[in-house]
Amino acid sequence: MNKYASILQTYMTALGDSDYATVKGLFASDGKVRSPFLGEMYADAFFDRLAGASMKNVITPIDIFLGTSGKNHATAYFQYDWTVRDGTLITFKVMDLFTFDSGSGKVTYLDLIYDTHPIRVSAGNKYES
């Protein structure tokens, strides 16, 4: 199995288990995440914020796409059934585009790609307390 596909499978499993320590361990120490809701931030801070906003995660993998450009990219495509702290269930499909350090294999950048409109209309911004 491709090493990046294996990392993405670990990521989706750990995210579904709310195992944020494992998720954060996939990232380089200076790894960053760009979220449509929160903007760009360090991965540790992002996943701490996600943990604080979440009650339960259910991840249904759809596919993994591996880059063909010779760059260190891979994409996880999945459905995210996210139960937030107040009990609201938010369901959406997301494509998480990963960039890896070629030496360590750690994630250096994660770009979350999803349509926020349905989420904002039905649930508001659930990252805020």
Side-chain angles (χ1 to χ4, degrees):
M1 173 184 296
N2 178 286
K3 70 178 178 177
Y4 297 147
S6 178
I7 292 168
L8 270 56
Q9 287 179 332
T10 299
Y11 168 79
M12 288 188 283
T13 298
L15 185 61
D17 292 341
S18 300
D19 180 356
Y20 298 104
T22 295
V23 171
K24 292 190 298 186
L26 299 172
F27 284 79
S29 60
D30 60 348
K32 292 188 176 178
V33 175
R34 187 176 69 85
S35 159
F37 274 100
L38 299 175
E40 185 177 282
M41 55 197 310
Y42 285 104
D44 280 356
F46 173 81
F47 288 107
D48 287 345
R49 187 112 180 237
L50 180 61
S54 301
M55 182 184 297
K56 180 180 178 185
N57 301 316
V58 176
I59 303 300
T60 305
I62 298 170
D63 211 340
I64 290 174
F65 303 95
L66 301 174
T68 60
S69 66
K71 299 200 165 112
N72 300 320
H73 293 166
T75 302
Y77 179 36
F78 56 92
Q79 180 171 303
Y80 191 179
D81 295 296
W82 181 35
T83 305
V84 295
R85 187 179 25 219
D86 69 4
T88 303
L89 173 63
I90 303 168
T91 297
F92 57 101
K93 289 183 179 164
V94 60
M95 294 189 82
D96 285 3
L97 173 61
F98 292 77
T99 303
F100 300 92
D101 176 79
S102 59
S104 69
K106 295 282 189 174
V107 179
T108 58
Y109 201 81
L110 173 56
D111 198 0
L112 309 179
I113 304 167
Y114 59 91
D115 182 3
T116 63
H117 184 263
I119 299 167
R120 290 178 192 259
V121 167
S122 67
N125 184 350
K126 294 300 182 177
Y127 285 101
E128 300 303 321
S129 346

